[in-house]
Amino acid sequence: FHKIARADRFIFLEQAQYSRGSYSNRVRILDNGRPCWLTQPVRHSFGQAIGEVAFADNAWPDKHLSHLRNAYGDSSAFAEIWPELADISRTMPAESLATANRHLVTALSGRLDLKTEFATDGELGVDALVGDDRLIALLSACGDDVSYLSGSGGRNYQNKDKFVHADISLVYAGYDGPAYEQGTDKFVAGLSVVDALFHLGWGETARLVLT
């Protein structure tokens, strides 16, 4: 969400290949002071695009809400966050992993008052390229004078020369936001935005995301 807040446009890569064990269908939360995975159950085949991945159990939103209530019911901002978060989850489209995730991300971004424009790779009319070539084509479809805000891990596999040749600035973004009170002895980083929401509320989380 920090990266979304810094971007003018955020593109959901729904035609990218689904990778098992990635963050495409799971996040980490705190449960009894310890990090654990909150996973959307999916049914997929090797080589499927994220937009083709279906759910193995369509009851998962209610199960996730139950888990979140048990994990965060005593947190300081639970009463503020719970009604809206529950509504966002219960109105989620269930036809695919991509549509559900897009719903969650755009709804939470709107509630955090982020001004970013959203698009999907399928909307940009890019031919079936792969890797950096596909990413550059998507960026070029957004117009001239474009910069790409990449995660810091991109340094390990992106061909910087290709971006230079395409006249696209490559900017690496990391996030090292301030610790906040989680009710634990030591701050646990790398969790879902819902952890901050339940402990800080909408306004403080928005300020944290924009930090």
Side-chain angles (χ1 to χ4, degrees):
F1 283 88
H2 175 67
K3 186 187 289 186
I4 291 173
R6 289 186 60 186
D8 296 311
R9 176 180 286 189
F10 182 89
I11 303 172
F12 292 97
L13 298 183
E14 298 180 354
Q15 295 180 348
Q17 183 175 323
Y18 170 78
S19 177
R20 185 178 180 182
S22 70
Y23 281 88
S24 297
N25 69 308
R26 63 179 189 168
V27 294
R28 292 202 313 164
I29 63 168
L30 277 186
D31 193 353
N32 290 322
R34 295 185 176 184
C36 70
W37 289 107
L38 193 65
T39 304
Q40 297 158 303
V42 296
R43 182 176 64 253
H44 68 94
S45 302
F46 178 76
Q48 266 189 318
I50 294 171
E52 298 171 340
V53 174
F55 292 113
D57 176 7
N58 285 336
W60 70 265
D62 286 333
K63 293 178 180 179
H64 279 199
L65 286 174
S66 178
H67 193 166
L68 289 170
R69 180 190 283 274
N70 290 334
Y72 291 104
D74 293 331
S75 59
S76 56
F78 181 84
E80 176 191 350
I81 298 302
W82 178 256
E84 291 181 79
L85 186 64
D87 184 62
I88 290 170
S89 295
R90 288 168 179 155
T91 58
M92 188 170 351
E95 58 263 30
S96 72
L97 174 64
T99 55
N101 284 351
R102 191 172 354 118
H103 170 83
L104 285 168
V105 170
T106 55
L108 290 174
S109 295
R111 188 59 184 82
L112 292 168
D113 201 29
L114 306 184
K115 307 302 183 184
T116 310
E117 177 186 342
F118 291 95
T120 67
D121 51 359
E123 296 170 347
L124 296 176
V126 172
D127 293 333
L129 302 170
V130 297
D132 286 342
D133 295 327
R134 177 170 176 78
L135 184 55
I136 288 168
L138 289 168
L139 292 163
S140 297
C142 295
D144 299 325
D145 193 23
V146 175
S147 297
Y148 176 53
L149 189 61
S150 173
S152 57
R155 297 179 189 273
N156 300 322
Y157 57 84
Q158 287 164 346
N159 186 333
K160 186 175 180 179
D161 290 340
K162 287 187 175 183
F163 289 86
V164 171
H165 182 72
D167 199 25
I168 294 173
S169 300
L170 190 55
V171 181
Y172 291 105
Y175 181 67
D176 187 22
Y180 53 88
E181 179 56 50
Q182 295 172 316
T184 56
D185 292 334
K186 184 178 179 181
F187 179 72
V188 181
L191 304 180
S192 166
V193 70
V194 300
D195 184 79
L197 286 170
F198 281 126
H199 288 109
L200 302 176
W202 294 110
E204 285 299 317
T205 300
R207 282 187 279 274
L208 190 71
V209 165
L210 291 166
T211 300

